[in-house]
Amino acid sequence: MSDNYLTLIPTDPYWQPGRAAAHHAKAALSALLPDADARRGLAARWHDTVEVVHCGTNLETIHCPHCGTDSDAWWADAVQERYAEGFSTLLVTPPCCDTETSLNDLTYDWPMGFASFRIEALNPNRDRLTKQELTSVTAAVGHPLRQILAHF
């Protein structure tokens, strides 16, 4: 059996909302889910450190945001190194163009990211949020969000 996740993370991997803001954002996302089954898998989660928020089998490519070169060859090693350091930094210098960037700012097709807070719906029974819907949840939490659709 496989699962799908609709996950919303702050664009700043280290940012975390207070409990009240998270509750409002979770309620805003709940209102956008189509049925009780989708809402049953809804949760807000805080983490002590930054974590990779992967899109699972949806991932197609990873590219450098500066030169567009495929980053698949070095990405996993860079993530493993940052993980070993507790993700105290996400900065990397890709070998393709030697221009410093963040692992969070690479171009992921499908979107992925890094976060110490997330709101996620397990098996949300819907596709990605529209821009307007994402804006409503962003307003509720008080910080820009990135959405990730994952399939595992």
Side-chain angles (χ1 to χ4, degrees):
M1 185 171 156
S2 61
D3 288 312
N4 294 302
Y5 292 84
L6 172 60
T7 305
L8 303 178
I9 61 172
T11 55
D12 175 350
Y14 301 95
W15 185 85
Q16 294 184 336
R19 298 282 175 188
H23 176 75
H24 291 302
K26 183 178 165 189
L29 180 56
S30 178
L32 301 172
L33 298 175
D35 53 45
D37 285 341
R39 286 186 284 281
R40 187 177 1 266
L42 183 60
R45 303 185 194 288
W46 287 261
H47 305 283
D48 292 335
T49 61
V50 168
E51 297 186 346
V52 179
V53 183
H54 205 287
C55 64
T57 60
N58 288 335
L59 181 63
E60 294 179 10
T61 60
I62 304 169
H63 291 99
C64 174
H66 300 292
C67 69
T69 300
D70 186 341
S71 301
D72 292 345
W74 59 266
W75 180 83
D77 290 336
V79 170
Q80 187 61 38
E81 287 173 20
R82 297 305 173 271
Y83 172 78
E85 300 165 354
F87 287 116
S88 58
T89 183
L90 295 175
L91 295 177
V92 294
T93 302
C96 50
C97 64
D98 273 345
T99 304
E100 187 175 75
T101 189
S102 168
L103 289 170
N104 198 51
D105 294 335
L106 295 175
T107 305
Y108 297 98
D109 183 20
W110 291 41
M112 292 181 19
F114 294 78
S116 58
F117 171 78
R118 70 177 78 192
I119 301 171
E120 65 186 5
L122 170 62
N123 296 319
N125 299 332
R126 65 160 295 156
D127 198 15
R128 68 184 72 220
L129 300 178
T130 66
K131 286 183 181 184
Q132 184 177 11
E133 290 171 331
L134 183 59
T135 297
S136 72
V137 181
T138 293
V141 80
H143 189 85
L145 297 172
R146 175 186 296 179
Q147 68 177 310
I148 299 164
L149 291 175
H151 180 77
F152 294 100

